Amino acid sequence: MTVPIGRRERKKAATRKKIADTALRLFLERGYEAVGIRDVAAEADVAVTTLFSHFAAKEALVFERDDDFERCLTRAVTGRAPHEPLVPALHREVQSLVRHCTADSALPVRRLIDGSPALREYEESMRLRHAESLAAAIAGDPGLSKGTTANRTIARFVIDAYSLAREASDPDAALDEIFRMIEAAWAVARTPADTTGTAGP
Amino acid sequence: MTVPIGRRERKKAATRKKIADTALRLFLERGYEAVGIRDVAAEADVAVTTLFSHFAAKEALVFERDDDFERCLTRAVTGRAPHEPLVPALHREVQSLVRHCTADSALPVRRLIDGSPALREYEESMRLRHAESLAAAIAGDPGLSKGTTANRTIARFVIDAYSLAREASDPDAALDEIFRMIEAAWAVARTPADTTGTAGP
DNA sequence: TCCAAAAACATAACCGTTAGTGTTACGATC
DNA sequence: GATCGTAACACTAACGGTTATGTTTTTGGA
């Protein structure tokens, strides 16, 4: 009843993990492009079709923990203290995410990704999906209603902040600056009913 | 001296055009994924290798005129009137680009792109490159020096504006709103020397 | 115990892309 | 105008990611 995880799901998870671990190890050892899907499958002792039943593409083998990213972001919106303003909450969360991925322990994987165009491209297209769900989370917050365009725009800007800060020489400083810009942008985003220009009576 | 285009270059351009035209026609007729590279090559009466010597990838067959996009953007920066502020110039240019691609004549191609994940992904990764060269153009302007981070950030925001406005139900209105946000963001971006916070004397 | 669903499997193919290896047509040079 | 280097093109064959097809094994529950 509680969490009756049966043998079946446990085995499935184990297989998935074994594939991911094996793949990452091989990629780090020999380089991403130098390792074929068939190599990974053989080393993990599974069939190629099994591998693809767990992972949608070769690139996905590297981004195992990536729904985490999405969850962290949306939770920063939906789970923040009542009346806490949106942008600072996102700032904190993105800061934590950037620090997490610029940490020394994550360096080998980062180098792996940066070294392969295919992986970089894949990552960017993931970010777009993340931006969409972030926009949805913002849209779902009754406290702040600024209109669809404003929500989606801010969501994109936040994702940009993550990706730009990561590449900067001083990620923390860059992130501060970008979020100052985002704060200003959010401040002037208009509410749905406000269809007038900038003029007042 | 002037533009001595020889037969060779003319033939090359003709081959390229024939391939692109054939590809687009087939894609529109049967759908992008339903047409293989070998189909295009056969119909254009060239070898597969020839096709790939003109186009880096299958997706590139659809985005023939895409350096235009990049050129328009950078020219909007480098070629604007002296002392004309940056953001409005970019606004005008992006507006023109959005209108161009939401025009009725471009609709079939847009549907083609939106209908294929591969094409959407390819387009987005192009946009990233465009953002980089836009950032470079901004960085190259002696009139405005706000620092690398600010430049790259604004460049990304502008690209976002294009991509978000295109998908909006009212592209013009959405673009106006987004550029109001960008204007605000640009206004608070700090100059390279300015390492202080928000405080004044 | 037996059944239906789920998971893993094996094989073979499809498709984009590239390497290797010529062959032709052009433009420049003498 | 004959020669020569080279850019463009062609053909074959392969490589690597991905998918279709159909089969066998494992598992949870009736």
Side-chain angles (χ1 to χ4, degrees):
Chain A
M1 275 299 171
T2 53
V3 191
I5 293 181
R7 201 192 334 260
R8 194 179 217 139
E9 317 183 27
R10 244 183 307 122
K11 283 206 174 180
K12 179 167 182 176
T15 304
R16 182 188 171 90
K17 182 162 167 41
K18 183 171 185 185
I19 295 172
D21 290 350
T22 305
L24 195 55
R25 180 169 58 78
L26 291 185
F27 291 159
L28 290 172
E29 280 174 12
R30 312 183 203 162
Y32 179 73
E33 357 254 6
V35 178
I37 285 288
R38 292 162 178 89
D39 299 332
V40 177
E43 185 86 7
D45 199 30
V46 296
V48 173
T49 45
T50 302
L51 189 155
F52 276 107
S53 80
H54 284 275
F55 299 91
K58 186 188 181 187
E59 295 91 40
L61 290 166
V62 179
F63 297 100
E64 250 284 78
R65 312 181 38 80
D66 221 76
D67 344 351
D68 285 4
F69 186 92
E70 188 164 324
R71 255 196 305 278
C72 283
L73 272 183
T74 55
R75 204 166 30 75
V77 175
T78 59
R80 71 190 199 283
H83 304 102
E84 192 191 356
L86 174 71
V87 177
L90 284 170
H91 186 169
R92 267 187 297 110
E93 188 58 43
V94 173
Q95 192 173 59
S96 151
L97 288 167
V98 168
R99 282 178 181 161
H100 201 273
C101 102
T102 53
D104 288 351
S105 66
L107 197 103
V109 178
R110 273 250 62 82
R111 269 219 284 268
L112 190 69
I113 296 168
D114 291 336
S116 155
L119 288 176
R120 279 205 306 272
E121 199 164 322
Y122 186 86
E123 185 175 23
E124 267 310 322
S125 85
M126 278 191 334
R127 301 295 170 224
L128 274 191
R129 291 204 317 275
H130 297 336
E132 285 306 314
S133 56
L134 178 55
I138 295 174
D141 189 312
L144 28 93
S145 72
K146 294 250 194 181
T148 312
T149 299
N151 292 342
R152 297 186 60 187
T153 304
I154 283 299
R156 285 260 198 154
F157 287 5
V158 169
I159 299 296
D160 288 337
Y162 172 80
S163 125
L164 287 166
R166 243 187 26 200
E167 298 171 8
S169 55
D170 183 348
D172 261 359
L175 198 64
D176 285 349
E177 177 169 6
I178 300 172
F179 261 96
R180 219 172 308 130
M181 296 168 75
I182 292 179
E183 183 80 68
W186 181 243
V188 303
R190 75 169 168 226
T191 64
D194 174 16
T195 54
T196 66
T198 56
Chain B
M1 277 298 172
T2 53
V3 192
I5 294 182
R7 198 190 338 256
R8 190 177 242 160
E9 318 184 26
R10 244 183 307 123
K11 281 203 176 181
K12 178 168 182 174
T15 303
R16 180 187 172 91
K17 181 162 167 43
K18 183 170 186 185
I19 295 172
D21 290 350
T22 305
L24 196 55
R25 180 170 58 78
L26 291 185
F27 291 157
L28 289 172
E29 279 173 13
R30 313 182 203 162
Y32 179 74
E33 356 254 9
V35 178
I37 285 289
R38 291 162 178 88
D39 299 332
V40 177
E43 185 87 7
D45 199 30
V46 296
V48 173
T49 47
T50 302
L51 188 155
F52 277 108
S53 79
H54 284 274
F55 300 90
K58 186 188 182 189
E59 293 92 36
L61 289 166
V62 178
F63 297 101
E64 250 285 77
R65 312 180 38 82
D66 220 78
D67 343 349
D68 285 4
F69 185 92
E70 187 165 325
R71 255 195 304 279
C72 284
L73 272 183
T74 55
R75 205 166 30 74
V77 175
T78 60
R80 71 192 199 281
H83 303 102
E84 191 190 356
L86 173 71
V87 178
L90 284 170
H91 186 170
R92 266 188 296 111
E93 188 59 43
V94 173
Q95 191 172 61
S96 151
L97 288 168
V98 168
R99 282 177 181 162
H100 201 273
C101 101
T102 53
D104 289 350
S105 66
L107 198 103
V109 179
R110 274 251 60 84
R111 269 219 282 268
L112 189 69
I113 295 169
D114 291 337
S116 155
L119 287 175
R120 279 205 308 270
E121 197 164 324
Y122 186 85
E123 186 175 23
E124 268 310 322
S125 86
M126 277 191 334
R127 301 295 171 226
L128 273 191
R129 290 203 320 274
H130 297 338
E132 285 306 314
S133 58
L134 178 55
I138 296 174
D141 190 312
L144 29 93
S145 70
K146 294 251 194 180
T148 312
T149 299
N151 292 342
R152 298 186 60 190
T153 304
I154 283 300
R156 286 260 197 153
F157 287 5
V158 169
I159 300 295
D160 288 337
Y162 172 79
S163 127
L164 286 167
R166 244 188 24 201
E167 298 170 8
S169 56
D170 182 348
D172 261 0
L175 199 63
D176 286 348
E177 177 170 7
I178 299 172
F179 261 95
R180 221 174 308 128
M181 297 168 75
I182 292 179
E183 184 81 67
W186 181 243
V188 304
R190 75 170 169 223
T191 64
D194 175 16
T195 53
T196 67
T198 57

